[in-house]
Amino acid sequence: MMRTLYILTLQLIVIFTTANATDQVIEGRLSSSRDDAQSRATCPEGLVVTYCEVKTGLVHTKSDGAFVDPSSNGRACVAVNGGGGSGAVALAKCSRDSKFPDSCSTKNLLLSKFINLHSRGPSPSVSCPPGYQQTVCNARSPWLGRLSNKGVNSKGVIPNGKACAVPNCSQQNWCEVTAVCRVIENMDEYIDVVCPVVIPVEGPPSLTRDDALSIASCPLGYVASYCEVKSGHVNTRSDGAFVDPSSGGGVCAAVHAGHGGPPAVALAQCSRNIQVPDPCGVDPLLPKFVSLLSRGPSPSVSCPPGYQQTVCNARSPWLGLLKNKGVNSKGVIPNGRACHVPSCSERKWCEVTAVCKIVLNPGAYKRAVCPGKL
């Protein structure tokens, strides 16, 4: 392992080559031997502490513990000398911080890769929010003995998997815990842990010209399991609605018909789209939702065996072609009726789209689909 040692005024920087070239291990300078003296290991700009400890140990007897300084924007790991100690040394692992898109958000929100938590008092406690996993929990108290027999090791660390908490301190003789949390970077796992099962998404109003669209886009990992023209007026002021299969089923569109009137507004119910095991055992995984489309003089779709329809939408750029054909004012053909629009033409076409959801009951799926109807 390559190791380079730099001796600075404030701290020692020990840089180790790791699998991630941006990771660094920073060692603070030995503190003085006075009570509450601090050793600080500060990460370079752009990096944050993901692990922190009292390298010299002796927490409970000669050290008051360790913490990630909440005023440092997560960059400083601090080790604290205790009464009678001969000095403490802080050791930090530093990693590159960055931003990630929030898979649950429809507004392009960004999440920090790492966040810091802090609690001080008679019974301090923190826990990472949903979608984050703890990388380190540190504890300290200026009063020796307050951390003894409470799950804090000799380096001032409470191991991951245990509660980041220190009970039975007091308002006067307080204890403190800090934690570093890392976002779950696997999108599917993050969605399973954090995101709601169904998210309503409303598109911005369309322009009022002919064929102008209002688009309701589902977050990454979601599909439109329901779609409608929220503003209504299909057959008079709107050409209808559709779920765009080219988007992977994640876009619900409402179409304005021109001729004045209010803008069209699309409304989607967005559901998590995951891969599920094939109950027949033929394919490894099957999509939970599939999207279908048909366009022409008499478009028609139906869900494949083992799937049930969640919505059928209809549209035609020619007003009047959807009238009296089972299409309601929201551009929806109710479930239970054929997803079909008859009596259009090659030139003046109509279109239907459907979203289908897999039958989640394995026995029912097998009876409908599997070879031999097991």
Side-chain angles (χ1 to χ4, degrees):
M1 179 180 295
M2 182 175 68
R3 172 173 171 170
T4 306
L5 180 66
Y6 300 82
I7 302 179
L8 304 180
T9 304
L10 297 178
Q11 64 184 9
L12 301 177
I13 302 181
V14 183
I15 304 178
F16 292 92
T17 301
T18 65
N20 184 344
T22 63
D23 287 353
Q24 296 184 18
V25 176
I26 307 294
E27 185 175 311
R29 187 181 179 186
L30 178 68
S31 75
S32 74
S33 59
R34 65 175 175 78
D35 191 22
D36 298 329
Q38 296 184 354
S39 168
R40 297 177 72 87
T42 302
C43 297
E45 190 74 33
L47 276 65
V48 294
V49 175
T50 56
Y51 178 79
C52 174
E53 68 170 33
V54 183
K55 182 185 179 184
T56 41
L58 302 178
V59 173
H60 309 303
T61 56
K62 302 295 185 181
S63 169
D64 289 339
F67 65 99
V68 177
D69 186 353
S71 68
S72 70
N73 294 319
R75 291 180 55 204
C77 163
V78 183
V80 186
N81 192 56
S86 56
V89 173
L91 182 72
K93 178 182 176 182
C94 304
S95 298
R96 179 73 57 188
D97 199 12
S98 57
K99 298 290 186 181
F100 282 80
D102 183 352
S103 298
C104 300
S105 172
T106 62
K107 299 179 180 179
N108 298 317
L109 299 180
L110 295 176
L111 300 170
S112 293
K113 185 175 181 179
F114 296 99
I115 61 173
N116 297 91
L117 306 176
H118 169 251
S119 177
R120 176 189 289 181
S123 188
S125 176
V126 296
S127 59
C128 294
Y132 283 82
Q133 296 172 329
Q134 184 177 288
T135 66
V136 70
C137 169
N138 293 111
R140 71 142 173 167
S141 177
W143 293 273
L144 280 175
R146 289 290 178 177
L147 302 182
S148 297
N149 302 314
K150 297 179 182 179
V152 184
N153 69 20
S154 64
K155 305 286 190 178
V157 176
I158 297 175
N160 294 330
K162 294 189 174 184
C164 188
V166 177
N168 303 322
C169 302
S170 68
Q171 289 288 355
Q172 181 181 355
N173 297 339
W174 49 262
C175 299
E176 179 179 70
V177 292
T178 62
V180 180
C181 307
R182 177 178 181 149
V183 74
I184 297 172
E185 295 182 45
N186 181 289
M187 184 194 70
D188 291 334
E189 185 179 352
Y190 181 91
I191 287 173
D192 287 342
V193 171
V194 181
C195 304
V197 175
V198 179
I199 301 174
V201 177
E202 185 174 313
S206 72
L207 300 175
T208 54
R209 60 175 174 78
D210 192 23
D211 298 329
L213 298 179
S214 169
I215 301 293
S217 296
C218 295
L220 195 63
Y222 283 71
V223 296
S225 55
Y226 177 79
C227 175
E228 69 171 33
V229 184
K230 181 185 179 184
S231 48
H233 303 293
V234 172
N235 295 318
T236 57
R237 303 296 186 187
S238 170
D239 288 340
F242 63 97
V243 174
D244 184 2
S246 69
S247 70
V251 169
C252 163
V255 189
H256 197 272
H259 310 291
V265 176
L267 178 66
Q269 296 294 332
C270 299
S271 299
R272 294 183 201 166
N273 194 23
I274 60 174
Q275 300 288 304
V276 296
D278 180 2
C280 299
V282 176
D283 297 305
L285 293 171
L286 297 171
K288 186 175 181 180
F289 293 93
V290 296
S291 300
L292 308 174
L293 176 148
S294 177
R295 177 188 290 180
S298 186
S300 177
V301 295
S302 59
C303 293
Y307 283 81
Q308 295 175 328
Q309 184 176 287
T310 63
V311 70
C312 170
N313 293 113
R315 70 151 172 159
S316 178
W318 292 274
L319 275 177
L321 288 185
L322 302 182
K323 283 184 179 179
N324 303 315
K325 297 179 183 178
V327 183
N328 68 20
S329 65
K330 305 287 190 180
V332 175
I333 298 175
N335 294 330
R337 304 176 80 164
C339 190
H340 170 59
V341 176
S343 305
C344 304
S345 70
E346 289 288 353
R347 186 171 72 87
K348 295 185 177 182
W349 49 263
C350 298
E351 180 181 85
V352 292
T353 61
V355 180
C356 307
K357 180 180 179 179
I358 198 167
V359 176
L360 295 180
N361 183 303
Y365 184 94
K366 287 180 180 180
R367 288 190 294 272
V369 181
C370 299
K373 309 296 184 183
L374 299 177

